[in-house]
Amino acid sequence: MLLRPAQLDAADVRAVPFPLLIAHEVLDPSSVQVLDTDFPRYAGAGYFPHEAGDCGQTVNALVAELTSPEFADALGARLGIERMSQYPPLVTICRSLNLRHGSIHTDSASKVASALLYLNARWPEGEHAGCLRFLTAANDIDAILVPEIPPVYGTLTAFKRTECSFHGHLPFEGERHVIQVAWLVDEAARDRKTRRGRFSRFIKWLGGGVDRRVGKGRDRNAAHLD
């Protein structure tokens, strides 16, 4: 196994203002290099629906573990969601971001909960850009609920979607490896988001260079969409 689910027992779990969890060292440390090698290489920036053909064997195995009913229920129990495995999972993967990503939001109402697993082997010490922030306000990126979360290998964070589950990060451009699992209210929501994600990928594939140039023109002090 690549995942170390026992690390959830040592997680920082909060119930208010919305249920969230932060766990560390949830990945086998000996797998850092093979996961990096097997990580998909996308033409554009942002999150794209998981496609097995994009990824190497190890990343696909990790996705299978993250979407297993056992892991969903273990995570859901800590977020106060009974039998979270009843909700269909949608996996999206990010290799890189540009400056337009990361603005404060709560996630759409079609999501029950989300988990983010980070795979960067290292992150510059003292670098705040790109570090996830859970927030107490919809209009203040500095209204930090818990210490910001650097996207380093083996860190997993999850939260229940609510009307106040605000999160975002300071603008960042570059590689930021993330596997995201969202458990959705029903299959129709998953199908809709998958179609939208594939269309977005096609557009970004056509204009990846344009997407990156647009990002460079944005204000580095502004928050932006995931």
Side-chain angles (χ1 to χ4, degrees):
M1 285 185 63
L2 296 158
L3 279 177
R4 303 163 72 191
Q7 292 301 109
L8 296 180
D9 293 335
D12 179 4
V13 180
R14 310 287 180 96
V16 292
F18 57 92
L20 66 88
L21 172 153
I22 304 166
H24 302 282
E25 300 179 354
V26 301
L27 285 174
D28 181 351
S30 68
S31 298
V32 60
Q33 185 57 58
V34 67
L35 282 168
D36 184 67
T37 299
D38 285 353
F39 206 76
R41 287 163 171 76
Y42 298 124
Y47 285 82
F48 301 95
H50 168 250
E51 300 282 355
D54 293 334
C55 309
Q57 181 179 355
T58 312
V59 170
N60 287 327
L62 177 55
V63 167
E65 292 181 27
L66 286 167
T67 55
S68 70
E70 296 79 11
F71 187 74
D73 288 342
L75 204 57
R78 291 162 172 82
L79 296 175
I81 302 170
E82 184 176 359
R83 200 167 67 82
M84 196 161 78
S85 60
Q86 69 183 292
Y87 300 106
L90 172 68
V91 178
T92 53
I93 299 179
C94 171
R95 184 177 186 92
S96 63
L97 295 179
N98 59 32
L99 297 178
R100 68 184 177 85
H101 296 102
S103 64
I104 302 171
H105 61 289
T106 61
D107 283 355
S108 68
S110 61
K111 291 186 179 182
V112 176
S114 295
L116 297 159
L117 178 62
Y118 297 110
L119 288 100
N120 283 76
R122 61 189 62 83
W123 196 254
E125 186 174 353
E127 175 62 83
H128 297 288
C131 295
L132 181 66
R133 295 181 177 187
F134 288 117
L135 304 163
T136 61
N139 57 359
D140 186 358
I141 195 65
D142 292 318
I144 300 174
L145 176 63
V146 295
E148 65 182 10
I149 305 163
V152 294
Y153 181 87
T155 298
L156 179 141
T157 186
F159 61 97
K160 181 179 179 179
R161 191 271 171 193
T162 73
E163 292 300 318
C164 66
S165 56
F166 304 117
H167 59 285
H169 59 75
L170 293 174
F172 172 80
E173 185 169 57
E175 295 211 356
R176 184 176 181 270
H177 298 186
V178 190
I179 298 176
Q180 177 178 247
V181 185
W183 288 268
L184 304 178
V185 293
D186 54 31
E187 293 286 353
R190 179 167 66 177
D191 291 345
R192 184 173 62 253
K193 285 183 177 292
T194 298
R195 288 194 301 271
R196 187 183 304 158
R198 287 173 176 163
F199 179 72
S200 175
R201 176 178 180 175
F202 176 68
I203 295 300
K204 289 179 180 180
W205 177 78
L206 288 176
V210 173
D211 190 51
R212 286 189 291 274
R213 287 195 296 274
V214 168
K216 287 181 180 179
R218 300 302 177 97
D219 181 358
R220 286 182 176 269
N221 295 317
H224 54 269
L225 286 169
D226 278 352

